[in-house]
Amino acid sequence: MRTFTFFACIACMVTSAAFAQSSGFKEKTANFKAYTSTIHKNINHLLRDRKTGLYFETTDSIQKENPHSWLWPLCALVQAANEMDVLDARQQYLKPVNKAIDQYYSEKSPVAYQDYVTAERLSSRFYDDNQWIAIAYLDAYNRTREAGYLKKAIMVYDYMITGVDEKAGGGLYWKDGDFSTKNTCSNAPAILVALQLYKITKEKKYMEMALAVYNWTNKTLRAPEGLFYDAIKIPSGEIDRKFYTYNTGAMLQANALLFGITAEKKYLTEAQQISKAAKSYFFKDNRLPGHYWFNAVLLRGNIELYKIDKNPDWINIFRNEAQRIWTEERDGANLLGEHQEKTLIDQAAMMEIYARLRQLAQ
């Protein structure tokens, strides 16, 4: 299995380089370095509280819900910062975001991050918020081997498994203490956390949990065409049939990772089916739906698949979409988003997208 993974990685590096050269991808993403630099500066100057190290939700300084951001936008920012560190670790993009996230730590057992700054008030805790952070920390651990990232990810794993029970046949709830829904957005990233922990530690319990949640999500929330419904309601069993790009992207990535670990072709076939279904449903009039961060998660899944099957279709789609957004959805201050007030989550999501595309161009 390790030999398979090693040669697959080597093949991926060679083919990616060939793709970047032959398709002119590198030239077409040449401006993305400037874009990421501009976004990062705007976040630090307009959306970061220098006194506390925390972040603001939006650029609207008057009509704001809270003094500081909810945790959810930091789930986008922490991954974007990690991708920027991949490109240039000397700049230490990730460390300030880590310090901000630490301020959401809740000592309520089992310990985890709550959805708002702990010193300002006690608040709710969501399994998916914690999982997205763990995914970024596991990526950071794989890059740096800093034990603190792994420790925090294991903390999140220990917390998230307390959200599993046998109602509706298994799966995780979305919100701690709220037993009304089990959502794809809390189950798909749970698979990713467990798979990454298995790859790092080789502990059997992580693979067992990943497969249990994977099987439940496919059985309960997979639509016939290959996309994933949003949630199942408890106890009625009614399915919320809305589709979102991030649910699709996370399950796509889970299948690609499972193929990389097991070499079982069924996972590759499923990943390709999900990717095909996503393009058919979401990509309309040469553009994706408007939620940048949901789309960033879809890009993660398609990059994971691209590493295996070398199909550049989605990579080119995202490159073109990223350029279109910079051209059409940017204001005079170089802030991105279609609404007048600009949000932290939108800036972070686009920084991640541009950074990931820059990595493919290298």
Side-chain angles (χ1 to χ4, degrees), residues 8 29-30 35 100 103 110 113 128 150 154 195 198 215 219 223 238 244 250 264 330 358:
T29 57
Y35 299 170
Q103 297 187 57
Y113 300 108
D128 62 330
L150 180 59
I154 292 173
L195 287 177
Y198 173 75
N215 291 332
K219 179 181 178 181
E238 180 186 351
Y244 297 109
E264 292 185 33
R330 173 174 52 98
R358 283 178 60 196

Side-chain angles (χ1 to χ4, degrees), residues 128-140:
D128 62 330
D129 286 359
N130 280 266
Q131 290 158 352
W132 298 118
I133 290 167
I135 289 165
Y137 283 167
L138 287 164
D139 288 346

Side-chain angles (χ1 to χ4, degrees), residues 46-168:
L46 301 175
L47 290 164
R48 187 167 185 259
D49 182 350
R50 296 185 182 182
K51 291 181 181 178
T52 63
L54 293 165
Y55 292 84
F56 303 119
E57 186 97 1
T58 75
T59 55
D60 187 339
S61 60
I62 300 173
Q63 295 182 347
K64 57 183 180 181
E65 188 177 14
N66 297 303
H68 295 103
S69 172
W70 294 104
L71 180 62
W72 189 40
L74 297 189
C75 299
L77 184 59
V78 69
Q79 190 71 57
N82 182 71
E83 303 317 310
M84 292 296 287
D85 270 0
V86 171
L87 293 163
D88 185 3
R90 296 171 300 175
Q91 294 296 318
Q92 294 286 300
Y93 294 95
L94 188 53
K95 296 295 185 184
V97 187
N98 294 346
K99 290 179 181 179
I101 290 172
D102 285 344
Q103 297 187 57
Y104 294 73
Y105 177 78
S106 166
E107 293 185 347
K108 177 185 174 183
S109 183
V111 295
Y113 300 108
Q114 66 173 37
D115 70 348
Y116 192 67
V117 182
T118 309
E120 295 183 22
R121 67 168 183 268
L122 295 179
S123 192
S124 301
R125 305 194 301 184
F126 290 81
Y127 296 109
D128 62 330
D129 286 359
N130 280 266
Q131 290 158 352
W132 298 118
I133 290 167
I135 289 165
Y137 283 167
L138 287 164
D139 288 346
Y141 174 77
N142 285 327
R143 178 173 53 82
T144 67
R145 295 296 164 180
E146 290 185 26
Y149 292 124
L150 180 59
K151 182 179 179 181
K152 289 177 178 179
I154 292 173
M155 174 194 79
V156 168
Y157 176 87
D158 291 341
Y159 165 67
M160 81 179 191
I161 62 174
T162 66
V164 178
D165 69 14
E166 291 307 311
K167 298 283 181 64

Side-chain angles (χ1 to χ4, degrees), residues 7 26 41 43-44 46 50 97 132 165 238 243 247 272 301 349 357:
F7 284 110
K26 187 171 185 177
K41 288 177 183 177
I43 289 172
N44 280 330
L46 301 175
R50 296 185 182 182
V97 187
W132 298 118
D165 69 14
E238 180 186 351
F243 294 132
N247 287 335
Q272 290 169 330
L357 293 170

